């Protein structure tokens, strides 16, 4: 037997319904906030992620599905969504146009990491990216939109926020952090020791409990912010408070990607185990320029869809559409011919095996049909059809001509 690869799974049945319900809900809210859909390729040049996500990140160092294709190109399967959307933004010369651009996307991402609850090697993200708006009001609006998605889905969360500073205040903070970490080297894990020399701020992101213990007294970026960054961060906190979105400042929150600056945030759930971040994002004002575009402020987020599926309760489905069946083998052709009239704009199920009425009613229940329409011996002789409204629990026998007139919608 050939099974799915480790860390990859089929999506079907109840999870598929929840997945589509999530996508429909999130897409509707994103569109209401002015975002339009974009789809980028699953395969991209490896250089895109090395330059954006950062060569010091675990994603690039350990987790990318990277290979050389038949044309000799160094490519990989996308490990996250933002870099591809930024590449799209630049390659379509949108960075050279005046105005603001907002895109949402969803689809599979790939990382070769240890599978566990809430973490797979193939996983799906829903994300939004906003280009051209430097105001912290946009940071707030992005957070507000995520909260609206989770509120609509009745998903509980807590919100962590931080500021990562800018090119003015971050270097000074980085120097003070490195000085602090030098005395902790022997107590830190191998990854943290490597990061001290490559990207020291990512030491704060380490999930190792022993490392986190050593970092309790690490200097805080929020005490080193320049006037502009501090003003924006205070304004963000004020906006969240004014609008009833609860949060806490997490000075160790740096996210796992190198491109963030200023605002960083995570939505966290206590209901899904160790991998408890269900959404995250922040501002990345230098990334467009870093990927050879014109300087463009930007902010965005991504939601891990697999991480929220277990938290979604589907609304009770309403009965809809038609179930057609025959109790006499000679009536099957007639049922098929009648059913074709209803297939435009309606959900239609046709049973091609003649059965007793009780079996047909069970079949109509299984597909949650509103109407069960059956032709038996008597109906076949009288050119009529028996119809039951399964929602109102009403039934009647009508001529096929009247049935087509009254029920075709």
């Amino acid at each position: 037997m050939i099974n799915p690869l480790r860390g990859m799974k089929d999506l079907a049945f109840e999870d598929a319904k929840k997945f589509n319900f999530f996508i429909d809900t999130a897409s509707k809210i994103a569109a209401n906030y002015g975002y339009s859909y974009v789809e980028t390729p699953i395969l991209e040049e490896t250089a895109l992620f090395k330059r954006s996500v950062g060569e010091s990140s675990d994603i690039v160092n350990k987790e990318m599905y990277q290979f050389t294709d038949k044309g000799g190109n160094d490519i990989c399967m996308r490990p996250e969504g933002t870099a591809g959307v930024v590449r799209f933004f630049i390659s379509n010369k949108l960075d050279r146009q005046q105005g603001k651009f907002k895109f949402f996307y969803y689809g599979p991402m790939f990382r070769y990491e240890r599978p566990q609850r809430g973490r797979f090697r193939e996983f799906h993200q829903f994300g939004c990216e906003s280009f051209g708006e430097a105001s912290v009001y946009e940071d707030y609006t992005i957070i507000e939109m995520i909260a609206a998605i989770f509120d609509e889905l009745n998903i509980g969360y807590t919100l962590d926020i931080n500021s990562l500073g800018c090119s003015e205040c971050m270097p000074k903070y980085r120097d003070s952090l490195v000085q602090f970490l030098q005395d902790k080297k022997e107590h830190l894990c191998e990854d943290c020791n490597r990061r001290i020399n490559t990207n020291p701020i990512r030491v704060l992101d380490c999930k190792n409990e022993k490392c986190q213990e050593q970092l309790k007294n690490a200097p805080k970026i929020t005490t080193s912010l320049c006037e502009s960054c501090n003003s924006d961060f205070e304004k963000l906190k004020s906006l969240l408070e004014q609008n009833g979105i609860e949060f806490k400042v997490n000075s160790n929150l740096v996210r796992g990607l190198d491109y963030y600056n200023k605002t960083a945030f995570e939505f966290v759930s206590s209901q899904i185990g160790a991998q408890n971040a269900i959404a995250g994002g922040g501002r990345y004002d230098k990334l467009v320029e870093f990927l050879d575009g014109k300087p463009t402020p930007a902010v965005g987020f991504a939601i891990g869809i697999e991480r929220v599926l277990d938290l979604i309760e589907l609304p009770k489905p309403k009965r809809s559409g038609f179930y057609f069946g025959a109790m006499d083998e000679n009536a099957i052709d007639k049922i098929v011919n009648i059913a074709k009239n209803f297939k435009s704009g309606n959900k239609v199920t046709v049973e091609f095996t003649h059965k007793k009425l009780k079996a047909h009613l069970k079949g109509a229940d299984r597909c949650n049909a509103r109407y069960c329409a059956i032709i038996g011996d008597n109906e076949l002789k009288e050119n009529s059809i028996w119809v039951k409204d399964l929602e109102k629990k009403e039934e009647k026998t009508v001529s096929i001509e009247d049935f087509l007139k009254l029920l075709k919608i």
Side-chain angles (χ1 to χ4, degrees):
M1 180 184 294
I2 299 175
N3 292 312
L5 294 172
R6 185 167 184 250
M8 302 188 181
K9 57 184 288 189
D10 301 309
L11 182 66
F13 306 120
E14 191 74 3
D15 277 351
K17 291 177 182 177
K18 289 182 177 181
F19 181 92
N20 288 325
F21 178 63
F22 171 85
I23 293 297
D24 290 345
T25 301
S27 298
K28 177 189 71 176
I29 291 173
N32 288 344
Y33 274 78
Y35 288 75
S36 59
Y37 178 68
V38 65
E39 182 170 328
T40 62
I42 288 174
L43 294 177
E44 296 272 12
E45 288 188 34
T46 301
L48 171 64
F49 301 104
K50 285 186 174 181
R51 291 173 59 185
S52 59
V53 175
E55 295 203 46
S56 66
S57 69
D58 285 348
I59 292 174
V60 170
N61 270 309
K62 303 176 181 180
E63 298 169 0
M64 288 203 301
Y65 277 86
Q66 179 182 357
F67 59 95
T68 302
D69 70 5
K70 293 181 179 180
N73 302 298
D74 184 2
I75 62 177
C76 69
M77 300 170 77
R78 62 186 182 196
E80 60 95 42
T82 298
V85 177
V86 173
R87 193 269 312 142
F88 154 81
F89 180 77
I90 297 168
S91 60
N92 284 273
K93 297 182 171 54
L94 301 180
D95 58 318
R96 300 176 182 275
Q97 299 182 27
Q98 295 293 322
K100 300 165 187 177
F101 299 88
K102 299 182 179 185
F103 303 101
F104 75 89
Y105 62 89
Y106 54 85
M109 312 292 162
F110 303 85
R111 297 181 192 176
Y112 193 87
E113 55 186 348
R114 184 169 64 85
Q116 53 188 291
R117 185 182 178 190
R119 174 173 283 182
F120 301 95
R121 291 178 174 176
E122 179 187 18
F123 59 98
H124 296 78
Q125 287 184 343
F126 177 94
C128 291
E129 314 296 345
S130 171
F131 299 96
E133 179 57 80
S135 171
V136 71
Y137 280 94
E138 187 75 340
D139 304 27
Y140 162 75
T141 303
I142 282 272
I143 293 173
E144 178 191 83
M145 177 167 54
I146 304 169
I149 291 171
F150 289 150
D151 288 345
E152 182 76 12
L153 295 167
N154 292 314
I155 293 175
Y157 58 83
T158 57
L159 170 64
D160 289 358
I161 65 170
N162 194 21
S163 175
L164 303 180
C166 65
S167 56
E168 179 181 335
C169 51
M170 174 50 74
K172 297 176 185 176
Y173 171 71
R174 187 184 292 112
D175 290 344
S176 66
L177 180 61
V178 169
Q179 188 174 355
F180 170 84
L181 294 173
Q182 293 295 341
D183 297 331
K184 306 286 184 181
K185 276 187 169 185
E186 62 184 273
H187 304 292
L188 298 175
C189 70
E190 183 181 340
D191 283 341
C192 283
N193 275 285
R194 174 176 52 81
R195 290 166 181 159
I196 291 173
N197 298 316
T198 55
N199 191 352
I201 193 171
R202 292 212 56 249
V203 173
L204 301 175
D205 192 47
C206 183
K207 301 301 185 288
N208 185 305
E209 289 184 8
K210 291 182 180 179
C211 293
Q212 283 299 318
E213 186 67 27
Q214 295 297 319
L215 295 170
K216 281 184 176 178
N217 297 317
K220 312 300 182 188
I221 178 62
T222 47
T223 64
S224 303
L225 298 176
C226 65
E227 184 178 347
S228 173
C229 289
N230 187 65
S231 175
D232 278 353
F233 194 50
E234 291 301 317
K235 185 63 177 179
L236 176 62
K237 292 190 287 185
S238 173
L239 288 168
L240 292 170
E241 288 169 353
Q242 290 173 30
N243 291 280
I245 300 177
E246 295 184 6
F247 67 92
K248 67 181 176 67
V249 175
N250 178 356
S251 55
N252 281 3
L253 173 63
V254 298
R255 306 286 297 143
L257 309 171
D258 286 358
Y259 50 64
Y260 287 113
N261 68 297
K262 288 195 172 182
T263 301
F265 58 83
E266 279 188 351
F267 283 73
V268 176
S269 168
S270 61
Q271 299 174 259
I272 59 171
Q275 299 302 321
N276 59 357
I278 54 177
R283 183 162 283 281
Y284 51 95
D285 292 334
K286 299 296 184 182
L287 184 54
V288 175
E289 182 179 3
F290 195 60
L291 292 175
D292 301 325
K294 294 186 69 175
T296 307
V299 60
F301 74 88
I303 296 174
I305 300 178
E306 278 80 3
R307 294 191 182 181
V308 301
L309 286 188
D310 287 344
L311 306 178
I312 292 175
E313 288 189 17
L314 291 170
K316 189 174 180 180
K318 293 182 178 180
R319 288 188 174 274
S320 63
F322 299 83
Y323 173 97
F324 291 94
M327 295 174 64
D328 185 301
E329 187 173 7
N330 295 320
I332 295 175
D333 284 355
K334 182 161 282 193
I335 278 293
V336 170
N337 289 333
I338 294 171
K340 72 179 181 182
N341 293 283
F342 291 82
K343 289 182 177 177
S344 177
N346 296 297
K347 183 179 72 174
V348 173
T349 300
V350 183
E351 174 55 62
F352 302 124
T353 303
H354 67 285
K355 298 178 179 180
K356 293 181 179 180
L357 179 59
K358 188 176 181 179
H360 282 307
L361 287 170
K362 285 183 178 179
D365 266 338
R366 279 194 294 272
C367 62
N368 209 35
R370 171 73 183 270
Y371 300 100
C372 181
I374 306 296
I375 294 181
D377 292 339
N378 292 336
E379 290 81 12
L380 191 59
K381 292 173 186 175
E382 297 172 4
N383 200 36
S384 61
I385 188 166
W386 178 86
V387 185
K388 182 170 184 178
D389 184 329
L390 297 171
E391 188 174 280
K392 295 182 177 180
K393 309 299 183 185
E394 298 173 354
E395 59 184 79
K396 59 184 176 181
T397 300
V398 298
S399 71
I400 290 174
E401 183 180 356
D402 287 343
F403 176 65
L404 292 172
K405 286 180 183 176
L406 294 175
L407 292 182
K408 187 176 180 182
I409 56 176

